[in-house]
């Protein structure tokens, strides 16, 4: 059931170690080698907001939604048939459209085979990530059609942007996963983008990544490319790629989505199931109602994986947004969804399925104060709520419409801070440091105590971007803001970037596969 | 013991209601009348980071510091005598300098008379605040010598800045308290500043405020002015002003401080006792050690109040800072102190004394992304940790050296969001909203459901500063960042400001007192 169990013994085919080395960065700001990990193992408690009774009410409402309202399925009779066999009450409401009501407990029964945690393997085994339990994985933002930076403003994303952003991700020790559609490469035909995107992840990163979900055949191509990279047998036995699927809220799963879900599950690959709940538009605007709906929708999508292949790795998802009451625009990084994210963590743990939740959300159009205020509100809730896979951990601006180069490096620095945060601290004789105070006594600085000398390199996270200098030094150095420093930093990181080595035979095989696909398919632009 | 008990029955002398009315602001952004309260009554659980055993170890270390190292007292034999009588082991280490070691349990015994919560009365009784328990009070930043804004940059604060900032505070519904030294009015002689500062709080705000602590006679003047405002008898029975005292860490209490503490306590007025612990400099840089020291130092300062006048209102304090390892500069808004703030909340609740902790801290020199990222890290911990009095809730920049006009209004908007956050949400049939989803069923928007109509005005906090518009609208409106919006906003708020009415006789009496003091004292400039 659990892909993690035999991960230590297996290694993917022909992989070499990545080249990122720390010694180059000695002396530059942002070095915290003691905090670098392939993924976070959370050592702090979760912030459990609601009591048992309240959680049960939300769960009961989710079950009631499934039993009394049901979920609509479109254009995928196979998925409908899977649910019918499992006990779902199916009504065809119009051609190729079915409403399924699920008897109480049925969906939870389906989910009993879902692993509590699993490992997503990376081509560099040092970058394998555990998803579930106390593990926490940060991945960049996903799905923006636009990119922006301070020099060139906002424009449609291209494959060059896509590659640049993968490189920025790879160069940060504070992300653990390469993400997926890091921006839309709009200069590539819609039906061929996935090939170049998956290739860019493989080529420019040696971490795990997300494959395509925009069509079942693109999902299949993503998995085929992973088979070339990892070997067919390895892929059948291990999770090496995941698909990030959206429910068509409220309460609809369209055929492209459900077919894609089945494609990943059939190949024993991971999938994430995320209702995008914009309160007042596609969900109730009171958080308990949004949570109940989220749970109902995500559980149903998750169940498809288990009916397709019991034990397939699967991730519950939650993406809650509020509404600007004046304009009807979605808002992100606001307090109410932040609280609900904490509760979603509780609900996921009760279900014992890994959770994707929240991220560095913002509606700001610039990497300004609003951007980081909103990001922090949302991201802290992801971490404190114990989410396991945190997509949108870097770059999110403009209500997800734009991937920002500057915000990307701001967010990765914040992700570094959260490595320290998630470590918490141990209370023991050394950290209680009675001797440090006793050594010199009242009124004496502790700069030179043995305790200070012993801990001074690792006590505090060293930020790559924060300016903590006195005002005079800051002024002498140009008096620049964080956005400007971030602009300088991403350019430096791209200049310094070195691709992780890849086996030439595999690389050629991947390129041949892509070329063949491209040659035999006409371009589609929408 | 508890000043809150009879607060409902008593009203201060000759006070009229404040004039701030909400109807003027109808339609403008940032209106959330359903969230306006004189102080927050926290409805969400605290985020309790440490287990019982770890908390006990910190407490035991604090007790050990007090018993084995002790605290140094300077230039105040009266305070030393109070502790000697209570059981302290006093050694005179040099002239006018004593080390006192406290037998285990002695300080905790002294604190048994301290109220678990109390009311600070404001001249407008609607603005009375409870300090302690689940109550949470936001007050502006305190103590910056400089002010800054985007137009005029950084310069020394003046009494005009002081008055402006009091007005900005008063105009925000999301602060509950007028604070104290909102900036240093450096154009007034050092020994007369307190008179103008206290007067500005009384005149331009009708909320509670902090008095002077820089000299015992200035503390006394602050209280005398309150007696003019509230009446002598009222002041003797109620807390109407507080002093914010700093320990001279590590482990020193100087005579000016201890005399000031006794002055407030003798008058039955409140006091806050804050070690400013810069890890590695004046405290251990591991958080458990810093917390133990903080607890030891703050408890000792608190104990002075109870030995002076049992039952006097008192607040435990915590101000933790980390260190930039490269430069030795203090850093604020970093992850390690944020965690420690959560623990300080636990320690204060175990002691059953109100807590002042954290705030909107930042080392940034601009109201930029760094400013709000750091602020959020710190401020969220104050709120989640259950701090009762949160000084530095608005305006803090430049490592507390500067009060920023723009940051002030950004922070107050964030404080508004935290009003919604602290409300949490109730899980009931209405908020679970099953009917809202059932009404139209799968695939149908909820815009027009009865549930949406019922909740749409109050479901989400409406920010005064966040831009949530689509990119196109934002661009058409100038494409400005949050700092620029904040610059526009504070100017508008100052232009719209109306002083709360004050009784002319009292006003004249206050002015006469100030004039008399000024006339009979030579100016001192340092």
């Amino acid at each position: 059931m659990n892909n993690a169990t035999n991960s230590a013994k297996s290694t993917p085919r022909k992989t070499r170690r990545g080249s990122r080395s720390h010694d180059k960065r000695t002396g530059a700001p942002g070095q915290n080698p003691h905090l670098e990990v392939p993924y976070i193992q959370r050592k702090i408690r979760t912030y459990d907001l609601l009591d048992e009774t309240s959680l049960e009410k939300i769960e009961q409402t989710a079950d009631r939604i499934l039993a009394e309202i049901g979920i609509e399925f479109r254009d995928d009779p196979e998925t409908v048939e899977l649910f019918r066999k499992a006990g779902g009450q199916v009504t065809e409401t119009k051609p190729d459209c079915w409403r399924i009501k699920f008897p109480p407990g049925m969906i939870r029964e389906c989910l009993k085979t879902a692993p509590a945690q699993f490992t997503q393997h990376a081509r560099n085994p040092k970058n394998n990530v555990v998803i579930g339990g106390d593990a926490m994985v940060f991945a960049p933002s996903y799905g923006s059609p636009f990119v922006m930076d301070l020099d060139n403003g906002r424009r449609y994303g291209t494959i060059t942007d896509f590659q640049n952003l993968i490189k920025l991700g790879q160069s940060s020790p504070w992300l653990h996963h390469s993400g997926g559609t890091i921006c839309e490469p709009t200069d590539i035909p819609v039906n061929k983008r996935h090939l170049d995107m998956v290739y860019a992840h493989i080529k420019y990163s040696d971490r795990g990544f997300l494959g395509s979900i925009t069509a079942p055949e693109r999902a299949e191509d993503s998995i085929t490319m992973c088979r070339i990279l990892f070997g067919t047998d390895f892929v059948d036995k291990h999770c090496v790629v995941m698909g990030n699927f959206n429910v068509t809220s409220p309460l609809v799963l369209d055929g492209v989505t459900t077919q894609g879900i089945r494609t990943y599950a059939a190949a024993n690959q991971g999938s994430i199931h995320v209702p995008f709940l914009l309160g007042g538009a596609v969900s109730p605007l009171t958080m308990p109602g949004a949570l109940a709906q989220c749970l109902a929708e995500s559980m149903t999508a998750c169940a498809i994986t288990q009916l397709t292949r019991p034990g397939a790795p699967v991730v519950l998802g939650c993406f809650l947004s509020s509404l600007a009451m004046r304009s009807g625009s979605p808002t992100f990084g606001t307090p109410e969804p932040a609280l609900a994210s904490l509760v979603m963590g509780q609900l996921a743990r009760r279900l014992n399925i890994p959770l994707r939740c929240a991220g560095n959300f913002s509606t700001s159009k610039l990497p300004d104060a609003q951007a980081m205020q909103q990001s922090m509100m949302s991201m802290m809730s992801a971490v404190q709520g114990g989410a396991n896979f945190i997509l949108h951990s870097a770059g999110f601006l403009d209500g997800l419409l734009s991937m920002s180069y500057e915000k990307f490096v701001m967010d990765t620095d914040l992700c570094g801070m959260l490595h320290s945060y998630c470590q918490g601290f141990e209370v023991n004789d050394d950290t209680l440091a009675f001797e440090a105070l006793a050594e010199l006594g009242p009124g004496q600085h502790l700069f030179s105590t043995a305790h200070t000398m012993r801990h001074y390199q690792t006590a505090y996270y060293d930020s790559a971007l924060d300016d903590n200098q006195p005002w005079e030094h800051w002024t002498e150095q140009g008096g620049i803001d964080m956005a400007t420093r971030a602009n300088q930093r991403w350019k430096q990181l791209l200049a310094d970037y070195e691709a992780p080595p890849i086996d030439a035979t595999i690389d050629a095989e991947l390129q041949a596969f892509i070329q063949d696909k491209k040659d035999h398919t006409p371009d589609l632009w929408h």
Side-chain angles (χ1 to χ4, degrees), chain A:
Chain A
M1 281 315 137
N2 186 333
N3 283 18
T5 48
N6 57 355
S7 64
K9 279 173 251 158
S10 349
T11 35
R13 170 188 165 200
K14 294 186 195 168
T15 316
R16 281 200 273 155
R17 294 286 159 93
S19 68
R20 184 159 50 74
S21 82
H22 305 307
D23 46 356
K24 281 185 213 153
R25 295 182 293 147
T26 304
Q31 309 295 302
N32 300 273
H34 61 292
L35 293 173
E36 292 192 20
V37 284
Y39 57 90
I40 292 174
Q41 198 73 38
R42 180 173 47 74
K43 290 183 187 158
I44 57 172
R45 291 182 184 178
T46 51
Y47 187 12
D48 293 341
L49 197 76
L50 292 190
D51 61 21
E52 180 88 7
T53 310
S54 297
L55 294 170
E56 280 170 4
K57 283 185 191 166
I58 293 171
E59 289 167 342
Q60 286 159 5
T61 304
D63 290 347
R64 201 177 155 206
I65 290 167
L66 293 174
E68 297 180 29
I69 308 175
I71 303 286
E72 183 174 298
F73 293 81
R74 297 176 184 163
D75 306 314
D76 182 17
E78 266 191 67
T79 293
V80 173
E81 194 49 33
L82 287 174
F83 277 121
R84 191 198 309 271
K85 281 187 190 156
Q89 294 157 7
V90 179
T91 312
E92 185 160 11
T93 52
K94 49 189 176 183
D96 297 320
C97 185
W98 302 265
R99 180 87 71 97
I100 309 185
K101 293 180 180 175
F102 306 94
M106 178 192 141
I107 291 291
R108 287 172 186 278
E109 188 62 33
C110 296
L111 294 177
K112 284 193 174 160
T113 54
Q117 65 174 47
F118 61 90
T119 296
Q120 179 178 355
H121 292 259
R123 75 172 172 95
N124 179 350
K126 289 168 76 174
N127 293 330
N128 293 352
V129 289
V130 170
I131 295 182
D134 291 337
M136 195 170 277
V137 171
F138 294 159
S141 255
Y142 182 109
S144 300
F146 300 100
V147 297
M148 49 169 69
D149 67 69
L150 291 188
D151 303 303
N152 298 305
R154 187 196 203 232
R155 72 274 181 187
Y156 279 105
T158 64
I159 190 67
T160 304
D161 291 309
F162 192 99
Q163 292 164 351
N164 282 342
L165 291 158
I166 300 293
K167 292 174 184 176
L168 283 182
Q170 170 76 5
S171 70
S172 171
W174 314 124
L175 297 176
H176 316 114
H177 194 278
S178 195
T181 307
I182 201 161
C183 71
E184 279 290 344
T186 61
D187 52 345
I188 311 284
V190 165
N191 61 334
K192 298 178 178 177
R193 276 177 202 172
H194 64 289
L195 300 165
D196 292 329
M197 291 197 282
V198 169
Y199 181 72
H201 281 294
I202 293 174
K203 177 88 174 177
Y204 300 112
S205 165
D206 59 359
R207 291 178 176 151
F209 59 89
L210 303 173
S212 178
I213 51 93
T214 53
E217 65 275 15
R218 297 174 203 159
E220 196 59 57
D221 285 348
S222 305
I223 297 166
T224 302
M225 290 175 74
C226 288
R227 291 188 178 117
I228 295 171
L229 179 64
F230 289 93
T232 300
D233 190 54
F234 190 88
V235 171
D236 188 55
K237 294 194 177 70
H238 303 90
C239 173
V240 299
V241 66
M242 297 199 291
N244 181 66
F245 293 94
N246 276 110
V247 180
T248 308
S249 303
L251 307 177
V252 176
L253 277 159
D254 67 61
V256 168
T257 300
T258 55
Q259 289 172 66
I261 293 171
R262 289 192 290 103
T263 304
Y264 276 84
N268 200 26
Q269 298 310 301
S271 55
I272 306 166
H273 304 277
V274 192
F276 169 26
L277 296 188
L278 172 55
V282 301
S283 82
L285 33 58
T286 47
M287 287 297 136
L291 284 163
Q293 178 184 344
C294 178
L295 189 60
E297 291 181 348
S298 186
M299 285 200 303
T300 304
C302 288
I304 299 170
T305 67
Q306 300 307 301
L307 295 176
T308 303
R309 180 164 170 164
V314 66
V315 179
L316 202 72
C318 174
F319 187 103
L320 291 168
S321 160
S322 47
L323 192 81
M325 296 186 298
R326 294 159 197 290
S327 62
S329 296
T331 51
F332 296 98
T334 51
E336 300 83 8
L339 288 174
S341 294
L342 300 175
V343 177
M344 198 63 203
Q346 294 182 275
L347 294 167
R349 282 188 292 282
R350 287 163 67 91
L351 200 58
N352 207 20
I353 292 183
L355 174 67
R356 178 206 141 182
C357 189
N360 264 314
F361 297 170
S362 177
T363 51
S364 182
K365 268 64 76 180
L366 290 169
D368 65 349
Q370 177 183 341
M372 290 316 281
Q373 174 211 288
Q374 293 183 319
S375 283
M376 287 293 287
M377 179 66 91
S378 174
M379 191 69 181
M380 292 299 282
S381 71
V383 165
Q384 295 172 336
N388 304 107
F389 186 77
I390 308 181
L391 200 63
H392 304 308
S393 285
F396 188 120
L397 269 192
D398 190 15
L400 191 51
L401 288 177
S402 298
M403 167 62 92
S404 157
Y405 279 74
E406 285 83 17
K407 177 81 163 15
F408 195 97
V409 295
M410 286 183 192
D411 286 342
T412 53
D413 192 44
L414 168 59
C415 286
M417 287 174 208
L418 294 173
H419 279 65
S420 178
Y421 192 86
C422 289
Q423 285 256 331
F425 44 71
E426 295 216 6
V427 179
N428 55 41
D429 285 346
D430 179 42
T431 60
L432 285 164
F434 175 83
E435 283 73 18
L437 276 177
E439 191 173 324
L440 299 172
Q444 302 303 312
H445 278 177
L446 282 78
F447 288 126
S448 62
T449 63
H451 185 266
T452 301
M453 290 296 112
R454 195 159 67 243
H455 287 280
Y456 128 99
Q457 292 287 352
T458 56
Y460 307 125
Y461 178 76
D462 181 34
S463 166
L465 280 178
D466 283 350
D467 186 286
N468 297 311
Q469 304 178 94
W471 192 83
E472 293 72 15
H473 295 179
W474 171 78
T475 308
E476 283 159 18
Q477 290 168 24
I480 57 175
D481 68 357
M482 193 197 232
T484 308
R485 290 193 297 277
N487 179 271
Q488 295 168 349
R489 181 163 172 84
W490 69 256
K491 289 174 184 167
Q492 190 60 51
L493 288 171
L494 281 186
D496 292 347
Y497 169 84
E498 285 176 41
I502 187 166
D503 183 283
T505 316
I506 289 177
D507 194 4
E509 208 176 324
L510 285 167
Q511 292 193 45
F513 173 81
I514 292 168
Q515 201 54 53
D516 183 65
K517 278 277 167 181
K518 287 191 174 179
D519 290 346
H520 292 87
T521 324
D523 291 354
L524 286 178
W525 284 98
H526 53 82

Short mmCIF file of all heavy atoms in Angstrom, two decimals, chain A residues 111-134:
data_model
loop_
_atom_site.label_atom_id
_atom_site.label_comp_id
_atom_site.label_asym_id
_atom_site.label_seq_id
_atom_site.Cartn_x
_atom_site.Cartn_y
_atom_site.Cartn_z
N LEU A 111 -11.81 5.03 0.16
CA LEU A 111 -10.52 5.67 0.45
C LEU A 111 -9.66 4.86 1.42
O LEU A 111 -8.52 5.23 1.69
CB LEU A 111 -10.76 7.07 1.02
CG LEU A 111 -11.38 8.07 0.05
CD1 LEU A 111 -11.64 9.41 0.74
CD2 LEU A 111 -10.49 8.28 -1.17
N LYS A 112 -10.22 3.75 1.92
CA LYS A 112 -9.46 2.97 2.91
C LYS A 112 -8.18 2.37 2.33
O LYS A 112 -7.26 2.06 3.08
CB LYS A 112 -10.35 1.87 3.51
CG LYS A 112 -11.33 2.45 4.52
CD LYS A 112 -12.00 1.38 5.36
CE LYS A 112 -12.85 2.05 6.45
NZ LYS A 112 -13.87 1.12 6.98
N THR A 113 -8.12 2.23 1.03
CA THR A 113 -6.90 1.67 0.43
C THR A 113 -5.86 2.76 0.11
O THR A 113 -4.75 2.45 -0.31
CB THR A 113 -7.23 0.92 -0.87
OG1 THR A 113 -7.98 1.80 -1.73
CG2 THR A 113 -8.06 -0.33 -0.59
N ALA A 114 -6.23 4.00 0.30
CA ALA A 114 -5.29 5.10 -0.03
C ALA A 114 -4.16 5.13 0.98
O ALA A 114 -4.39 5.04 2.18
CB ALA A 114 -6.03 6.43 -0.04
N PRO A 115 -2.91 5.26 0.51
CA PRO A 115 -1.78 5.29 1.46
C PRO A 115 -1.78 6.56 2.31
O PRO A 115 -2.08 7.64 1.82
CB PRO A 115 -0.53 5.24 0.56
CG PRO A 115 -0.99 5.67 -0.79
CD PRO A 115 -2.44 5.35 -0.89
N ALA A 116 -1.42 6.41 3.57
CA ALA A 116 -1.32 7.56 4.47
C ALA A 116 -0.15 8.45 4.08
O ALA A 116 -0.17 9.66 4.29
CB ALA A 116 -1.17 7.09 5.90
N GLN A 117 0.87 7.84 3.52
CA GLN A 117 1.97 8.63 2.96
C GLN A 117 2.67 7.81 1.90
O GLN A 117 2.52 6.59 1.84
CB GLN A 117 2.95 9.08 4.05
CG GLN A 117 3.69 7.96 4.75
CD GLN A 117 4.74 8.51 5.71
OE1 GLN A 117 4.47 9.41 6.49
NE2 GLN A 117 5.94 7.96 5.66
N PHE A 118 3.37 8.48 1.03
CA PHE A 118 4.10 7.79 -0.03
C PHE A 118 5.31 8.62 -0.41
O PHE A 118 5.44 9.78 0.00
CB PHE A 118 3.18 7.54 -1.24
CG PHE A 118 2.64 8.79 -1.88
CD1 PHE A 118 3.33 9.43 -2.90
CD2 PHE A 118 1.43 9.34 -1.45
CE1 PHE A 118 2.83 10.59 -3.49
CE2 PHE A 118 0.92 10.50 -2.03
CZ PHE A 118 1.63 11.12 -3.05
N THR A 119 6.19 8.03 -1.19
CA THR A 119 7.38 8.75 -1.65
C THR A 119 7.23 9.07 -3.13
O THR A 119 6.88 8.19 -3.92
CB THR A 119 8.64 7.89 -1.45
OG1 THR A 119 8.82 7.67 -0.05
CG2 THR A 119 9.88 8.57 -2.02
N GLN A 120 7.45 10.34 -3.48
CA GLN A 120 7.62 10.64 -4.90
C GLN A 120 9.11 10.64 -5.19
O GLN A 120 9.88 11.40 -4.60
CB GLN A 120 7.01 11.99 -5.31
CG GLN A 120 7.27 12.23 -6.82
CD GLN A 120 6.67 13.50 -7.39
OE1 GLN A 120 5.95 14.23 -6.71
NE2 GLN A 120 6.97 13.76 -8.65
N HIS A 121 9.49 9.77 -6.12
CA HIS A 121 10.90 9.63 -6.45
C HIS A 121 11.32 10.71 -7.44
O HIS A 121 10.58 11.05 -8.36
CB HIS A 121 11.16 8.24 -7.02
CG HIS A 121 10.99 7.17 -5.99
ND1 HIS A 121 12.04 6.57 -5.35
CD2 HIS A 121 9.86 6.64 -5.45
CE1 HIS A 121 11.58 5.70 -4.47
NE2 HIS A 121 10.25 5.72 -4.51
N ALA A 122 12.53 11.19 -7.23
CA ALA A 122 13.12 12.18 -8.14
C ALA A 122 14.24 11.51 -8.90
O ALA A 122 14.75 10.46 -8.49
CB ALA A 122 13.66 13.34 -7.33
N ARG A 123 14.67 12.10 -10.01
CA ARG A 123 15.75 11.44 -10.76
C ARG A 123 17.05 11.48 -9.96
O ARG A 123 17.90 10.61 -10.11
CB ARG A 123 15.89 12.03 -12.15
CG ARG A 123 16.53 13.40 -12.27
CD ARG A 123 16.74 13.68 -13.76
NE ARG A 123 17.18 15.03 -14.03
CZ ARG A 123 18.47 15.37 -14.19
NH1 ARG A 123 19.43 14.49 -14.02
NH2 ARG A 123 18.79 16.62 -14.49
N ASN A 124 17.19 12.45 -9.10
CA ASN A 124 18.26 12.40 -8.11
C ASN A 124 17.65 11.86 -6.82
O ASN A 124 16.87 12.55 -6.16
CB ASN A 124 18.84 13.79 -7.87
CG ASN A 124 19.94 13.78 -6.84
OD1 ASN A 124 20.16 12.78 -6.15
ND2 ASN A 124 20.64 14.89 -6.72
N PRO A 125 18.00 10.62 -6.44
CA PRO A 125 17.33 10.01 -5.28
C PRO A 125 17.48 10.81 -4.00
O PRO A 125 16.66 10.67 -3.09
CB PRO A 125 18.01 8.65 -5.14
CG PRO A 125 18.83 8.45 -6.36
CD PRO A 125 19.04 9.77 -7.03
N LYS A 126 18.50 11.66 -3.94
CA LYS A 126 18.62 12.52 -2.76
C LYS A 126 17.45 13.48 -2.65
O LYS A 126 17.21 14.06 -1.59
CB LYS A 126 19.92 13.34 -2.83
CG LYS A 126 21.17 12.50 -2.61
CD LYS A 126 22.42 13.28 -2.97
CE LYS A 126 22.79 14.29 -1.89
NZ LYS A 126 24.10 14.93 -2.21
N ASN A 127 16.77 13.69 -3.75
CA ASN A 127 15.64 14.63 -3.76
C ASN A 127 14.27 13.94 -3.70
O ASN A 127 13.25 14.57 -3.96
CB ASN A 127 15.71 15.53 -4.99
CG ASN A 127 16.90 16.47 -4.92
OD1 ASN A 127 17.33 16.86 -3.83
ND2 ASN A 127 17.45 16.81 -6.07
N ASN A 128 14.27 12.64 -3.41
CA ASN A 128 12.98 11.98 -3.19
C ASN A 128 12.25 12.69 -2.05
O ASN A 128 12.87 13.10 -1.08
CB ASN A 128 13.19 10.51 -2.78
CG ASN A 128 13.77 9.67 -3.91
OD1 ASN A 128 13.87 10.13 -5.05
ND2 ASN A 128 14.14 8.44 -3.59
N VAL A 129 10.96 12.82 -2.19
CA VAL A 129 10.19 13.47 -1.14
C VAL A 129 9.11 12.54 -0.61
O VAL A 129 8.48 11.80 -1.37
CB VAL A 129 9.52 14.79 -1.63
CG1 VAL A 129 10.57 15.87 -1.87
CG2 VAL A 129 8.66 14.57 -2.87
N VAL A 130 8.92 12.59 0.69
CA VAL A 130 7.80 11.87 1.30
C VAL A 130 6.61 12.82 1.33
O VAL A 130 6.75 14.01 1.64
CB VAL A 130 8.16 11.40 2.72
CG1 VAL A 130 6.93 10.89 3.46
CG2 VAL A 130 9.24 10.33 2.66
N ILE A 131 5.46 12.30 0.96
CA ILE A 131 4.25 13.12 0.96
C ILE A 131 3.25 12.47 1.91
O ILE A 131 2.78 11.36 1.67
CB ILE A 131 3.70 13.27 -0.48
CG1 ILE A 131 4.74 14.05 -1.30
CG2 ILE A 131 2.34 13.97 -0.47
CD1 ILE A 131 4.37 14.34 -2.70
N GLY A 132 2.98 13.16 3.01
CA GLY A 132 2.07 12.64 4.03
C GLY A 132 2.72 12.69 5.40
O GLY A 132 3.88 13.06 5.54
N GLY A 133 1.95 12.35 6.41
CA GLY A 133 2.46 12.32 7.78
C GLY A 133 2.95 13.69 8.22
O GLY A 133 2.28 14.70 7.99
N ASP A 134 4.13 13.71 8.81
CA ASP A 134 4.71 14.98 9.25
C ASP A 134 5.59 15.62 8.17
O ASP A 134 6.23 16.64 8.42
CB ASP A 134 5.55 14.77 10.52
CG ASP A 134 4.67 14.41 11.70
OD1 ASP A 134 3.48 14.75 11.67
OD2 ASP A 134 5.19 13.80 12.66
#
